[in-house]
Amino acid sequence: MPAAFLTRLPPALRDRLPAVLAAVATVAGGLTVRAVTGGWFGKYAGDALYTVLVYALILVLRPRLAPGRTALCALAVSWAVEFAQLTPVPAALSEASVLARLVFGSTFGVADLVAYAAGAALAWASHTLARRASPSAPVTG
């Protein structure tokens, strides 16, 4: 984004805009992967992108959170949702709503945990590289 545009934005929006754009791009990427691929790649790429989306949403709420902490939080949320699938609650919610099915899923899978970790690592690496490219963005714990 042009620096002149960013400097005109209020600080709260300026800090959150990259995360909002990342979230939108991640949803678009997830929908694209779902539309053009299938099988194991589509499933696990979708799982990884789920964690990338959680990562971006955490940054919308806490834009100055360090990449490592953000990745751990996103991974914890993703794993918590996956482990919740060992209970009947997500399956019941998934039957009631398509949105709930997209957010909570319905069945537990160990391989999903690995895909979530890959997504957290991808988000951490991308965020870290973006921070290095723009050293003016402060990182706090």
Side-chain angles (χ1 to χ4, degrees):
M1 263 177 257
F5 171 75
L6 288 176
T7 57
R8 288 187 218 139
L9 294 175
L13 181 58
R14 182 176 44 237
D15 290 347
R16 288 171 172 81
L17 186 59
V20 169
L21 294 175
V24 169
T26 301
V27 170
L31 292 173
T32 301
V33 165
R34 189 173 178 99
V36 301
T37 66
W40 68 269
F41 179 81
K43 180 191 178 339
Y44 297 116
D47 287 346
L49 288 171
Y50 177 90
T51 301
V52 173
L53 177 60
V54 171
Y55 186 103
L57 294 175
I58 290 168
L59 287 176
V60 169
L61 297 174
R62 299 278 313 270
R64 296 181 184 272
L65 196 61
R69 285 190 179 190
T70 310
L72 289 175
C73 290
L75 184 59
V77 168
S78 299
W79 281 6
V81 169
E82 189 68 24
F83 281 110
Q85 292 172 359
L86 293 170
T87 72
V89 174
L93 291 172
S94 293
E95 288 178 19
S97 164
V98 173
L99 181 59
R101 187 174 319 123
L102 291 172
V103 173
F104 298 113
S106 59
T107 55
F108 176 81
V110 173
D112 293 348
L113 300 173
V114 176
Y116 297 141
L122 173 67
W124 168 82
S126 299
H127 188 191
T128 300
L129 289 172
R131 291 279 184 167
R132 287 186 184 151
S134 175
S136 63
V139 176
T140 61

